[in-house]
PDB file of all heavy atoms in Angstrom:
ATOM      1  N   LEU A   1      -7.054  -3.596   3.859  1.00  0.00           N
ATOM      2  CA  LEU A   1      -6.775  -4.114   2.522  1.00  0.00           C
ATOM      3  C   LEU A   1      -6.810  -5.635   2.486  1.00  0.00           C
ATOM      4  O   LEU A   1      -7.358  -6.232   1.549  1.00  0.00           O
ATOM      5  CB  LEU A   1      -5.410  -3.593   2.037  1.00  0.00           C
ATOM      6  CG  LEU A   1      -5.020  -3.940   0.593  1.00  0.00           C
ATOM      7  CD1 LEU A   1      -5.978  -3.289  -0.395  1.00  0.00           C
ATOM      8  CD2 LEU A   1      -3.586  -3.493   0.315  1.00  0.00           C
ATOM      9  N   ASP A   2      -6.260  -6.270   3.502  1.00  0.00           N
ATOM     10  CA  ASP A   2      -6.180  -7.735   3.515  1.00  0.00           C
ATOM     11  C   ASP A   2      -7.546  -8.394   3.656  1.00  0.00           C
ATOM     12  O   ASP A   2      -7.732  -9.554   3.270  1.00  0.00           O
ATOM     13  CB  ASP A   2      -5.259  -8.200   4.655  1.00  0.00           C
ATOM     14  CG  ASP A   2      -3.812  -7.808   4.399  1.00  0.00           C
ATOM     15  OD1 ASP A   2      -3.463  -7.578   3.223  1.00  0.00           O
ATOM     16  OD2 ASP A   2      -3.043  -7.707   5.375  1.00  0.00           O
ATOM     17  N   THR A   3      -8.507  -7.673   4.226  1.00  0.00           N
ATOM     18  CA  THR A   3      -9.834  -8.267   4.457  1.00  0.00           C
ATOM     19  C   THR A   3     -10.837  -7.924   3.357  1.00  0.00           C
ATOM     20  O   THR A   3     -11.988  -8.341   3.414  1.00  0.00           O
ATOM     21  CB  THR A   3     -10.388  -7.790   5.814  1.00  0.00           C
ATOM     22  OG1 THR A   3     -10.526  -6.354   5.798  1.00  0.00           O
ATOM     23  CG2 THR A   3      -9.448  -8.199   6.950  1.00  0.00           C
ATOM     24  N   MET A   4     -10.410  -7.155   2.378  1.00  0.00           N
ATOM     25  CA  MET A   4     -11.317  -6.803   1.276  1.00  0.00           C
ATOM     26  C   MET A   4     -11.639  -8.031   0.441  1.00  0.00           C
ATOM     27  O   MET A   4     -10.815  -8.947   0.325  1.00  0.00           O
ATOM     28  CB  MET A   4     -10.660  -5.757   0.360  1.00  0.00           C
ATOM     29  CG  MET A   4     -10.561  -4.374   0.932  1.00  0.00           C
ATOM     30  SD  MET A   4      -9.818  -3.240  -0.303  1.00  0.00           S
ATOM     31  CE  MET A   4      -9.849  -1.706   0.626  1.00  0.00           C
ATOM     32  N   ASP A   5     -12.835  -8.020  -0.153  1.00  0.00           N
ATOM     33  CA  ASP A   5     -13.141  -9.118  -1.067  1.00  0.00           C
ATOM     34  C   ASP A   5     -12.358  -8.901  -2.370  1.00  0.00           C
ATOM     35  O   ASP A   5     -11.757  -7.841  -2.588  1.00  0.00           O
ATOM     36  CB  ASP A   5     -14.643  -9.216  -1.330  1.00  0.00           C
ATOM     37  CG  ASP A   5     -15.238  -7.972  -1.990  1.00  0.00           C
ATOM     38  OD1 ASP A   5     -14.588  -7.409  -2.898  1.00  0.00           O
ATOM     39  OD2 ASP A   5     -16.349  -7.554  -1.594  1.00  0.00           O
ATOM     40  N   ASP A   6     -12.353  -9.908  -3.235  1.00  0.00           N
ATOM     41  CA  ASP A   6     -11.507  -9.857  -4.428  1.00  0.00           C
ATOM     42  C   ASP A   6     -11.851  -8.681  -5.346  1.00  0.00           C
ATOM     43  O   ASP A   6     -10.966  -8.053  -5.940  1.00  0.00           O
ATOM     44  CB  ASP A   6     -11.627 -11.162  -5.215  1.00  0.00           C
ATOM     45  CG  ASP A   6     -10.922 -12.314  -4.510  1.00  0.00           C
ATOM     46  OD1 ASP A   6     -10.003 -12.032  -3.705  1.00  0.00           O
ATOM     47  OD2 ASP A   6     -11.284 -13.473  -4.761  1.00  0.00           O
ATOM     48  N   HIS A   7     -13.147  -8.380  -5.461  1.00  0.00           N
ATOM     49  CA  HIS A   7     -13.547  -7.282  -6.337  1.00  0.00           C
ATOM     50  C   HIS A   7     -13.007  -5.955  -5.817  1.00  0.00           C
ATOM     51  O   HIS A   7     -12.432  -5.155  -6.580  1.00  0.00           O
ATOM     52  CB  HIS A   7     -15.072  -7.214  -6.453  1.00  0.00           C
ATOM     53  CG  HIS A   7     -15.552  -6.099  -7.340  1.00  0.00           C
ATOM     54  ND1 HIS A   7     -15.487  -6.163  -8.707  1.00  0.00           N
ATOM     55  CD2 HIS A   7     -16.093  -4.877  -7.036  1.00  0.00           C
ATOM     56  CE1 HIS A   7     -15.966  -5.040  -9.225  1.00  0.00           C
ATOM     57  NE2 HIS A   7     -16.339  -4.238  -8.227  1.00  0.00           N
ATOM     58  N   GLN A   8     -13.179  -5.693  -4.531  1.00  0.00           N
ATOM     59  CA  GLN A   8     -12.671  -4.446  -3.952  1.00  0.00           C
ATOM     60  C   GLN A   8     -11.145  -4.387  -4.037  1.00  0.00           C
ATOM     61  O   GLN A   8     -10.569  -3.357  -4.394  1.00  0.00           O
ATOM     62  CB  GLN A   8     -13.114  -4.341  -2.491  1.00  0.00           C
ATOM     63  CG  GLN A   8     -14.610  -4.151  -2.290  1.00  0.00           C
ATOM     64  CD  GLN A   8     -14.983  -4.167  -0.814  1.00  0.00           C
ATOM     65  OE1 GLN A   8     -14.450  -4.976  -0.034  1.00  0.00           O
ATOM     66  NE2 GLN A   8     -15.890  -3.283  -0.439  1.00  0.00           N
ATOM     67  N   HIS A   9     -10.486  -5.506  -3.729  1.00  0.00           N
ATOM     68  CA  HIS A   9      -9.029  -5.556  -3.729  1.00  0.00           C
ATOM     69  C   HIS A   9      -8.466  -5.253  -5.118  1.00  0.00           C
ATOM     70  O   HIS A   9      -7.399  -4.628  -5.251  1.00  0.00           O
ATOM     71  CB  HIS A   9      -8.569  -6.948  -3.270  1.00  0.00           C
ATOM     72  CG  HIS A   9      -7.130  -7.019  -2.878  1.00  0.00           C
ATOM     73  ND1 HIS A   9      -6.136  -7.365  -3.757  1.00  0.00           N
ATOM     74  CD2 HIS A   9      -6.528  -6.789  -1.683  1.00  0.00           C
ATOM     75  CE1 HIS A   9      -4.970  -7.350  -3.119  1.00  0.00           C
ATOM     76  NE2 HIS A   9      -5.175  -7.008  -1.863  1.00  0.00           N
ATOM     77  N   GLY A  10      -9.167  -5.666  -6.158  1.00  0.00           N
ATOM     78  CA  GLY A  10      -8.704  -5.457  -7.526  1.00  0.00           C
ATOM     79  C   GLY A  10      -9.088  -4.114  -8.106  1.00  0.00           C
ATOM     80  O   GLY A  10      -8.784  -3.850  -9.276  1.00  0.00           O
ATOM     81  N   HIS A  11      -9.749  -3.263  -7.311  1.00  0.00           N
ATOM     82  CA  HIS A  11     -10.183  -1.961  -7.818  1.00  0.00           C
ATOM     83  C   HIS A  11      -9.723  -0.793  -6.947  1.00  0.00           C
ATOM     84  O   HIS A  11     -10.191   0.338  -7.137  1.00  0.00           O
ATOM     85  CB  HIS A  11     -11.713  -1.920  -7.947  1.00  0.00           C
ATOM     86  CG  HIS A  11     -12.221  -2.715  -9.112  1.00  0.00           C
ATOM     87  ND1 HIS A  11     -12.332  -4.088  -9.073  1.00  0.00           N
ATOM     88  CD2 HIS A  11     -12.632  -2.337 -10.357  1.00  0.00           C
ATOM     89  CE1 HIS A  11     -12.811  -4.527 -10.233  1.00  0.00           C
ATOM     90  NE2 HIS A  11     -12.990  -3.481 -11.029  1.00  0.00           N
ATOM     91  N   VAL A  12      -8.783  -1.010  -6.035  1.00  0.00           N
ATOM     92  CA  VAL A  12      -8.234   0.092  -5.253  1.00  0.00           C
ATOM     93  C   VAL A  12      -7.331   0.921  -6.170  1.00  0.00           C
ATOM     94  O   VAL A  12      -6.433   0.370  -6.819  1.00  0.00           O
ATOM     95  CB  VAL A  12      -7.412  -0.424  -4.052  1.00  0.00           C
ATOM     96  CG1 VAL A  12      -6.770   0.745  -3.302  1.00  0.00           C
ATOM     97  CG2 VAL A  12      -8.296  -1.240  -3.117  1.00  0.00           C
ATOM     98  N   PRO A  13      -7.520   2.224  -6.281  1.00  0.00           N
ATOM     99  CA  PRO A  13      -6.666   3.048  -7.147  1.00  0.00           C
ATOM    100  C   PRO A  13      -5.193   2.870  -6.788  1.00  0.00           C
ATOM    101  O   PRO A  13      -4.836   2.857  -5.612  1.00  0.00           O
ATOM    102  CB  PRO A  13      -7.149   4.481  -6.858  1.00  0.00           C
ATOM    103  CG  PRO A  13      -8.554   4.324  -6.389  1.00  0.00           C
ATOM    104  CD  PRO A  13      -8.584   3.033  -5.622  1.00  0.00           C
ATOM    105  N   TYR A  14      -4.355   2.739  -7.811  1.00  0.00           N
ATOM    106  CA  TYR A  14      -2.951   2.408  -7.547  1.00  0.00           C
ATOM    107  C   TYR A  14      -2.228   3.507  -6.762  1.00  0.00           C
ATOM    108  O   TYR A  14      -1.257   3.238  -6.057  1.00  0.00           O
ATOM    109  CB  TYR A  14      -2.215   2.082  -8.839  1.00  0.00           C
ATOM    110  CG  TYR A  14      -1.753   3.251  -9.676  1.00  0.00           C
ATOM    111  CD1 TYR A  14      -0.599   3.960  -9.338  1.00  0.00           C
ATOM    112  CD2 TYR A  14      -2.428   3.618 -10.838  1.00  0.00           C
ATOM    113  CE1 TYR A  14      -0.157   5.011 -10.113  1.00  0.00           C
ATOM    114  CE2 TYR A  14      -1.979   4.663 -11.610  1.00  0.00           C
ATOM    115  CZ  TYR A  14      -0.852   5.365 -11.253  1.00  0.00           C
ATOM    116  OH  TYR A  14      -0.415   6.405 -12.020  1.00  0.00           O
ATOM    117  N   VAL A  15      -2.701   4.739  -6.853  1.00  0.00           N
ATOM    118  CA  VAL A  15      -2.088   5.826  -6.066  1.00  0.00           C
ATOM    119  C   VAL A  15      -2.223   5.535  -4.581  1.00  0.00           C
ATOM    120  O   VAL A  15      -1.267   5.681  -3.802  1.00  0.00           O
ATOM    121  CB  VAL A  15      -2.750   7.175  -6.415  1.00  0.00           C
ATOM    122  CG1 VAL A  15      -2.308   8.265  -5.440  1.00  0.00           C
ATOM    123  CG2 VAL A  15      -2.408   7.578  -7.843  1.00  0.00           C
ATOM    124  N   LEU A  16      -3.409   5.077  -4.178  1.00  0.00           N
ATOM    125  CA  LEU A  16      -3.625   4.754  -2.764  1.00  0.00           C
ATOM    126  C   LEU A  16      -2.849   3.506  -2.369  1.00  0.00           C
ATOM    127  O   LEU A  16      -2.352   3.402  -1.240  1.00  0.00           O
ATOM    128  CB  LEU A  16      -5.122   4.572  -2.500  1.00  0.00           C
ATOM    129  CG  LEU A  16      -5.996   5.811  -2.754  1.00  0.00           C
ATOM    130  CD1 LEU A  16      -7.454   5.518  -2.395  1.00  0.00           C
ATOM    131  CD2 LEU A  16      -5.486   7.000  -1.954  1.00  0.00           C
ATOM    132  N   LEU A  17      -2.732   2.557  -3.293  1.00  0.00           N
ATOM    133  CA  LEU A  17      -1.935   1.363  -3.000  1.00  0.00           C
ATOM    134  C   LEU A  17      -0.489   1.742  -2.694  1.00  0.00           C
ATOM    135  O   LEU A  17       0.104   1.277  -1.719  1.00  0.00           O
ATOM    136  CB  LEU A  17      -1.976   0.398  -4.187  1.00  0.00           C
ATOM    137  CG  LEU A  17      -3.267  -0.383  -4.423  1.00  0.00           C
ATOM    138  CD1 LEU A  17      -3.151  -1.221  -5.697  1.00  0.00           C
ATOM    139  CD2 LEU A  17      -3.593  -1.280  -3.236  1.00  0.00           C
ATOM    140  N   LEU A  18       0.089   2.590  -3.530  1.00  0.00           N
ATOM    141  CA  LEU A  18       1.482   2.982  -3.335  1.00  0.00           C
ATOM    142  C   LEU A  18       1.672   3.749  -2.028  1.00  0.00           C
ATOM    143  O   LEU A  18       2.657   3.534  -1.308  1.00  0.00           O
ATOM    144  CB  LEU A  18       1.966   3.823  -4.518  1.00  0.00           C
ATOM    145  CG  LEU A  18       2.147   3.070  -5.842  1.00  0.00           C
ATOM    146  CD1 LEU A  18       2.529   4.026  -6.963  1.00  0.00           C
ATOM    147  CD2 LEU A  18       3.200   1.975  -5.703  1.00  0.00           C
ATOM    148  N   LEU A  19       0.733   4.627  -1.704  1.00  0.00           N
ATOM    149  CA  LEU A  19       0.832   5.354  -0.433  1.00  0.00           C
ATOM    150  C   LEU A  19       0.746   4.393   0.752  1.00  0.00           C
ATOM    151  O   LEU A  19       1.479   4.527   1.742  1.00  0.00           O
ATOM    152  CB  LEU A  19      -0.288   6.398  -0.348  1.00  0.00           C
ATOM    153  CG  LEU A  19      -0.107   7.655  -1.212  1.00  0.00           C
ATOM    154  CD1 LEU A  19      -1.398   8.464  -1.237  1.00  0.00           C
ATOM    155  CD2 LEU A  19       1.034   8.514  -0.660  1.00  0.00           C
ATOM    156  N   HIS A  20      -0.137   3.424   0.644  1.00  0.00           N
ATOM    157  CA  HIS A  20      -0.314   2.431   1.713  1.00  0.00           C
ATOM    158  C   HIS A  20       0.954   1.607   1.919  1.00  0.00           C
ATOM    159  O   HIS A  20       1.441   1.442   3.050  1.00  0.00           O
ATOM    160  CB  HIS A  20      -1.491   1.519   1.347  1.00  0.00           C
ATOM    161  CG  HIS A  20      -1.685   0.377   2.288  1.00  0.00           C
ATOM    162  ND1 HIS A  20      -2.189   0.533   3.565  1.00  0.00           N
ATOM    163  CD2 HIS A  20      -1.433  -0.968   2.137  1.00  0.00           C
ATOM    164  CE1 HIS A  20      -2.244  -0.652   4.158  1.00  0.00           C
ATOM    165  NE2 HIS A  20      -1.790  -1.569   3.315  1.00  0.00           N
ATOM    166  N   PHE A  21       1.526   1.123   0.820  1.00  0.00           N
ATOM    167  CA  PHE A  21       2.718   0.282   0.938  1.00  0.00           C
ATOM    168  C   PHE A  21       3.967   1.105   1.282  1.00  0.00           C
ATOM    169  O   PHE A  21       4.907   0.584   1.890  1.00  0.00           O
ATOM    170  CB  PHE A  21       2.934  -0.503  -0.356  1.00  0.00           C
ATOM    171  CG  PHE A  21       1.876  -1.537  -0.605  1.00  0.00           C
ATOM    172  CD1 PHE A  21       1.213  -1.623  -1.823  1.00  0.00           C
ATOM    173  CD2 PHE A  21       1.517  -2.442   0.399  1.00  0.00           C
ATOM    174  CE1 PHE A  21       0.227  -2.568  -2.049  1.00  0.00           C
ATOM    175  CE2 PHE A  21       0.533  -3.404   0.175  1.00  0.00           C
ATOM    176  CZ  PHE A  21      -0.120  -3.471  -1.040  1.00  0.00           C
ATOM    177  N   LEU A  22       3.962   2.382   0.929  1.00  0.00           N
ATOM    178  CA  LEU A  22       5.073   3.245   1.321  1.00  0.00           C
ATOM    179  C   LEU A  22       5.147   3.371   2.842  1.00  0.00           C
ATOM    180  O   LEU A  22       6.234   3.365   3.438  1.00  0.00           O
ATOM    181  CB  LEU A  22       4.919   4.642   0.698  1.00  0.00           C
ATOM    182  CG  LEU A  22       5.519   4.852  -0.691  1.00  0.00           C
ATOM    183  CD1 LEU A  22       5.128   6.211  -1.240  1.00  0.00           C
ATOM    184  CD2 LEU A  22       7.038   4.710  -0.648  1.00  0.00           C
ATOM    185  N   GLU A  23       3.985   3.481   3.482  1.00  0.00           N
ATOM    186  CA  GLU A  23       3.969   3.569   4.939  1.00  0.00           C
ATOM    187  C   GLU A  23       4.505   2.292   5.559  1.00  0.00           C
ATOM    188  O   GLU A  23       5.251   2.323   6.551  1.00  0.00           O
ATOM    189  CB  GLU A  23       2.541   3.857   5.431  1.00  0.00           C
ATOM    190  CG  GLU A  23       2.080   5.284   5.192  1.00  0.00           C
ATOM    191  CD  GLU A  23       3.035   6.295   5.812  1.00  0.00           C
ATOM    192  OE1 GLU A  23       3.361   6.151   7.002  1.00  0.00           O
ATOM    193  OE2 GLU A  23       3.463   7.218   5.097  1.00  0.00           O
ATOM    194  N   GLN A  24       4.135   1.166   4.990  1.00  0.00           N
ATOM    195  CA  GLN A  24       4.664  -0.102   5.507  1.00  0.00           C
ATOM    196  C   GLN A  24       6.185  -0.181   5.304  1.00  0.00           C
ATOM    197  O   GLN A  24       6.918  -0.644   6.176  1.00  0.00           O
ATOM    198  CB  GLN A  24       3.969  -1.269   4.807  1.00  0.00           C
ATOM    199  CG  GLN A  24       2.484  -1.408   5.143  1.00  0.00           C
ATOM    200  CD  GLN A  24       1.873  -2.659   4.534  1.00  0.00           C
ATOM    201  OE1 GLN A  24       2.564  -3.509   3.970  1.00  0.00           O
ATOM    202  NE2 GLN A  24       0.549  -2.806   4.676  1.00  0.00           N
ATOM    203  N   TRP A  25       6.643   0.276   4.157  1.00  0.00           N
ATOM    204  CA  TRP A  25       8.086   0.271   3.878  1.00  0.00           C
ATOM    205  C   TRP A  25       8.833   1.145   4.894  1.00  0.00           C
ATOM    206  O   TRP A  25       9.882   0.763   5.413  1.00  0.00           O
ATOM    207  CB  TRP A  25       8.324   0.761   2.452  1.00  0.00           C
ATOM    208  CG  TRP A  25       9.777   0.968   2.094  1.00  0.00           C
ATOM    209  CD1 TRP A  25      10.536   2.069   2.360  1.00  0.00           C
ATOM    210  CD2 TRP A  25      10.643   0.051   1.426  1.00  0.00           C
ATOM    211  NE1 TRP A  25      11.809   1.919   1.889  1.00  0.00           N
ATOM    212  CE2 TRP A  25      11.913   0.678   1.307  1.00  0.00           C
ATOM    213  CE3 TRP A  25      10.487  -1.231   0.890  1.00  0.00           C
ATOM    214  CZ2 TRP A  25      12.988   0.059   0.690  1.00  0.00           C
ATOM    215  CZ3 TRP A  25      11.571  -1.831   0.272  1.00  0.00           C
ATOM    216  CH2 TRP A  25      12.811  -1.196   0.184  1.00  0.00           C
ATOM    217  N   LYS A  26       8.313   2.312   5.146  1.00  0.00           N
ATOM    218  CA  LYS A  26       8.978   3.251   6.054  1.00  0.00           C
ATOM    219  C   LYS A  26       9.119   2.662   7.454  1.00  0.00           C
ATOM    220  O   LYS A  26      10.116   2.903   8.146  1.00  0.00           O
ATOM    221  CB  LYS A  26       8.195   4.563   6.119  1.00  0.00           C
ATOM    222  CG  LYS A  26       8.270   5.398   4.850  1.00  0.00           C
ATOM    223  CD  LYS A  26       7.420   6.656   4.982  1.00  0.00           C
ATOM    224  CE  LYS A  26       7.443   7.483   3.713  1.00  0.00           C
ATOM    225  NZ  LYS A  26       6.581   8.691   3.844  1.00  0.00           N
ATOM    226  N   GLN A  27       8.123   1.895   7.866  1.00  0.00           N
ATOM    227  CA  GLN A  27       8.165   1.320   9.218  1.00  0.00           C
ATOM    228  C   GLN A  27       9.341   0.380   9.394  1.00  0.00           C
ATOM    229  O   GLN A  27       9.861   0.235  10.500  1.00  0.00           O
ATOM    230  CB  GLN A  27       6.845   0.589   9.497  1.00  0.00           C
ATOM    231  CG  GLN A  27       5.646   1.523   9.630  1.00  0.00           C
ATOM    232  CD  GLN A  27       4.335   0.774   9.769  1.00  0.00           C
ATOM    233  OE1 GLN A  27       4.329  -0.458   9.959  1.00  0.00           O
ATOM    234  NE2 GLN A  27       3.229   1.490   9.665  1.00  0.00           N
ATOM    235  N   SER A  28       9.787  -0.247   8.313  1.00  0.00           N
ATOM    236  CA  SER A  28      10.922  -1.167   8.414  1.00  0.00           C
ATOM    237  C   SER A  28      12.225  -0.583   7.875  1.00  0.00           C
ATOM    238  O   SER A  28      13.224  -1.282   7.769  1.00  0.00           O
ATOM    239  CB  SER A  28      10.604  -2.466   7.655  1.00  0.00           C
ATOM    240  OG  SER A  28      10.325  -2.198   6.297  1.00  0.00           O
ATOM    241  N   HIS A  29      12.196   0.733   7.555  1.00  0.00           N
ATOM    242  CA  HIS A  29      13.397   1.374   7.020  1.00  0.00           C
ATOM    243  C   HIS A  29      13.632   2.726   7.695  1.00  0.00           C
ATOM    244  O   HIS A  29      13.963   3.728   7.044  1.00  0.00           O
ATOM    245  CB  HIS A  29      13.280   1.564   5.498  1.00  0.00           C
ATOM    246  CG  HIS A  29      13.339   0.289   4.710  1.00  0.00           C
ATOM    247  ND1 HIS A  29      12.256  -0.556   4.603  1.00  0.00           N
ATOM    248  CD2 HIS A  29      14.350  -0.306   4.000  1.00  0.00           C
ATOM    249  CE1 HIS A  29      12.590  -1.607   3.859  1.00  0.00           C
ATOM    250  NE2 HIS A  29      13.856  -1.481   3.493  1.00  0.00           N
ATOM    251  N   ASP A  30      13.443   2.753   8.993  1.00  0.00           N
ATOM    252  CA  ASP A  30      13.724   3.951   9.807  1.00  0.00           C
ATOM    253  C   ASP A  30      12.977   5.182   9.313  1.00  0.00           C
ATOM    254  O   ASP A  30      13.491   6.313   9.376  1.00  0.00           O
ATOM    255  CB  ASP A  30      15.233   4.246   9.814  1.00  0.00           C
ATOM    256  CG  ASP A  30      16.050   3.097  10.407  1.00  0.00           C
ATOM    257  OD1 ASP A  30      15.553   2.466  11.370  1.00  0.00           O
ATOM    258  OD2 ASP A  30      17.146   2.832   9.903  1.00  0.00           O
ATOM    259  N   GLY A  31      11.772   4.974   8.810  1.00  0.00           N
ATOM    260  CA  GLY A  31      10.945   6.103   8.383  1.00  0.00           C
ATOM    261  C   GLY A  31      11.332   6.700   7.043  1.00  0.00           C
ATOM    262  O   GLY A  31      10.814   7.759   6.661  1.00  0.00           O
ATOM    263  N   ASN A  32      12.216   6.031   6.300  1.00  0.00           N
ATOM    264  CA  ASN A  32      12.684   6.567   5.021  1.00  0.00           C
ATOM    265  C   ASN A  32      12.008   5.879   3.837  1.00  0.00           C
ATOM    266  O   ASN A  32      11.797   4.667   3.857  1.00  0.00           O
ATOM    267  CB  ASN A  32      14.199   6.395   4.890  1.00  0.00           C
ATOM    268  CG  ASN A  32      14.955   7.152   5.958  1.00  0.00           C
ATOM    269  OD1 ASN A  32      14.611   8.297   6.270  1.00  0.00           O
ATOM    270  ND2 ASN A  32      15.973   6.520   6.533  1.00  0.00           N
ATOM    271  N   ALA A  33      11.709   6.655   2.822  1.00  0.00           N
ATOM    272  CA  ALA A  33      11.150   6.105   1.583  1.00  0.00           C
ATOM    273  C   ALA A  33      12.287   5.566   0.714  1.00  0.00           C
ATOM    274  O   ALA A  33      13.451   5.912   0.939  1.00  0.00           O
ATOM    275  CB  ALA A  33      10.384   7.196   0.828  1.00  0.00           C
ATOM    276  N   PRO A  34      11.993   4.722  -0.253  1.00  0.00           N
ATOM    277  CA  PRO A  34      13.045   4.251  -1.174  1.00  0.00           C
ATOM    278  C   PRO A  34      13.727   5.438  -1.845  1.00  0.00           C
ATOM    279  O   PRO A  34      13.045   6.316  -2.397  1.00  0.00           O
ATOM    280  CB  PRO A  34      12.269   3.409  -2.198  1.00  0.00           C
ATOM    281  CG  PRO A  34      11.013   3.020  -1.506  1.00  0.00           C
ATOM    282  CD  PRO A  34      10.674   4.135  -0.575  1.00  0.00           C
ATOM    283  N   SER A  35      15.062   5.476  -1.809  1.00  0.00           N
ATOM    284  CA  SER A  35      15.766   6.665  -2.294  1.00  0.00           C
ATOM    285  C   SER A  35      16.710   6.400  -3.466  1.00  0.00           C
ATOM    286  O   SER A  35      17.179   7.342  -4.092  1.00  0.00           O
ATOM    287  CB  SER A  35      16.569   7.294  -1.149  1.00  0.00           C
ATOM    288  OG  SER A  35      17.508   6.362  -0.631  1.00  0.00           O
TER     289      SER A  35
END
């Protein structure tokens, strides 16, 4: 995601964005999603 060009970065479906950032969140919260 960080290496995508601006056009690609601005067109990633938000469902995939949320799934991607959820995984990052879990890594810093003992594997738990926001509750």
Side-chain angles (χ1 to χ4, degrees):
L1 185 64
D2 292 338
T3 61
M4 287 182 179
D5 62 41
D6 288 336
H7 180 76
Q8 292 175 319
H9 196 268
H11 286 78
V12 176
Y14 80 79
V15 170
L16 298 183
L17 286 176
L18 290 176
L19 285 169
H20 174 73
F21 292 130
L22 272 173
E23 286 304 309
Q24 293 186 7
W25 173 277
K26 289 178 182 179
Q27 291 174 10
S28 59
H29 290 78
D30 299 324
N32 298 318
S35 59

